[in-house]
Amino acid sequence: MNADGRIQWIEHRSQVDWVHAAAADIAHCLEAELAARGRARILLSGGTTPAPVYAQLATAALDWPRITVGLVDERWLSPRASASNTRLLHEHLLDQVQVARFEPLVRPGLSLAESVHAANLEAAHAADACLAVLGMGEDGHTASLFPGAAQLPQVLASALPYAALDASGCPVAGDWPQRITLTPAGLAHARQRLLLLRGRSKRQVLVRALEGEDVLQMPIRVAIGRGGPPLRVHWCE
């Protein structure tokens, strides 16, 4: 995979090595951004895969009060629900450090459309993220860009950073088909992209993604070959 210039493949011998290296990579990006611009903004994904990386990141001696944390995507449910990405970030990172600001996607008291509008307003006035940390599903989705979702073509074509997407009928979406997701236009404003993967099956999915170009079939392709630095991929078995 290292022969493909669109990605930087970083393979680790164990999950422990993977956690420490991925957290150090994120911390290094934040340190460089703070040194260059005085403040930093980062977009993080939810899920069980990155959780231990965020817990390790929370131990980094960063100037956290100058760092803003946003989300790549979120399920349309209470931020206190166990499946909420917001709750996961609080449990593994935000409750351990004092950041400048956390940018939620689900806003209590607002409708789905109003929450998306608020997220787009906030993103429009925010600094570009120095890094977007992504995950990938067995179906080739990233963020909440699910292949087969009826609204996927419109979301992929959106000029706004965030959009609502109904993933009803997409098995990987599980019990929470209503989502707020970063769009390709939103991802384009992240200066670097990092993909966290574990397991042989995910490696095979990425190999298939690299072999084609149809973003509707495998939305992870929106993160591959977008110009600028290659997509950095941390993988362990």
Side-chain angles (χ1 to χ4, degrees):
M1 284 222 245
N2 283 323
D4 193 316
R6 296 172 296 170
I7 69 168
Q8 181 184 355
W9 179 259
I10 308 165
E11 189 168 320
H12 304 284
R13 292 177 295 179
S14 70
Q15 184 174 337
V16 172
D17 289 346
W18 176 86
V19 166
H20 283 267
D25 196 350
I26 297 170
H28 176 74
C29 179
L30 289 168
E31 286 172 345
E33 185 78 355
L34 289 170
R37 294 178 170 84
R39 292 191 173 276
R41 179 169 173 260
I42 188 170
L43 301 178
L44 301 178
S45 296
T48 56
T49 296
V53 175
Y54 299 155
Q56 179 62 33
L57 179 62
T59 69
L62 294 167
D63 193 351
W64 289 104
R66 292 194 289 151
I67 296 172
T68 294
V69 176
L71 284 164
V72 167
D73 67 328
E74 182 61 285
R75 299 173 173 94
W76 182 245
L77 76 177
S78 167
R80 294 184 295 274
S82 60
S84 163
N85 290 342
T86 295
R87 176 169 169 173
L88 179 137
L89 285 187
H90 273 284
E91 290 179 347
H92 295 277
L93 177 65
L94 298 176
D95 288 350
Q96 283 70 52
V97 298
Q98 184 65 48
V99 298
R101 176 167 172 75
F102 171 61
E103 301 172 346
L105 292 180
V106 172
R107 304 183 184 232
L110 299 186
S111 68
L112 177 58
E114 290 168 338
S115 290
V116 172
H117 179 68
N120 282 324
L121 279 178
E122 187 161 49
H125 292 91
D128 285 348
C130 64
L131 180 67
V133 177
L134 304 170
M136 183 187 71
E138 299 283 355
D139 60 350
H141 85 267
T142 194
S144 283
L145 303 171
F146 291 94
Q151 298 165 307
L152 182 61
Q154 291 88 348
V155 171
L156 291 176
S158 175
L160 296 173
Y162 287 99
L165 183 138
D166 185 347
S168 296
C170 302
V172 179
D175 296 329
W176 306 279
Q178 299 291 334
R179 304 291 183 104
I180 300 175
T181 182
L182 195 69
T183 66
L187 182 60
H189 285 282
R191 283 186 284 277
Q192 298 183 64
R193 292 148 288 128
L194 188 150
L195 179 61
L196 300 179
L197 295 182
R198 287 190 351 225
R200 290 188 181 185
S201 62
K202 292 289 184 72
R203 178 174 182 158
Q204 292 167 353
V205 172
L206 183 61
V207 168
R208 293 202 305 273
L210 292 168
E211 292 171 347
E213 298 181 358
D214 187 348
V215 176
L216 289 171
Q217 182 188 49
M218 299 187 78
I220 184 60
R221 289 170 176 150
V222 303
I224 299 170
R226 296 190 62 85
L231 172 67
R232 288 204 307 282
V233 185
H234 283 274
W235 178 85
C236 73
E237 191 167 349

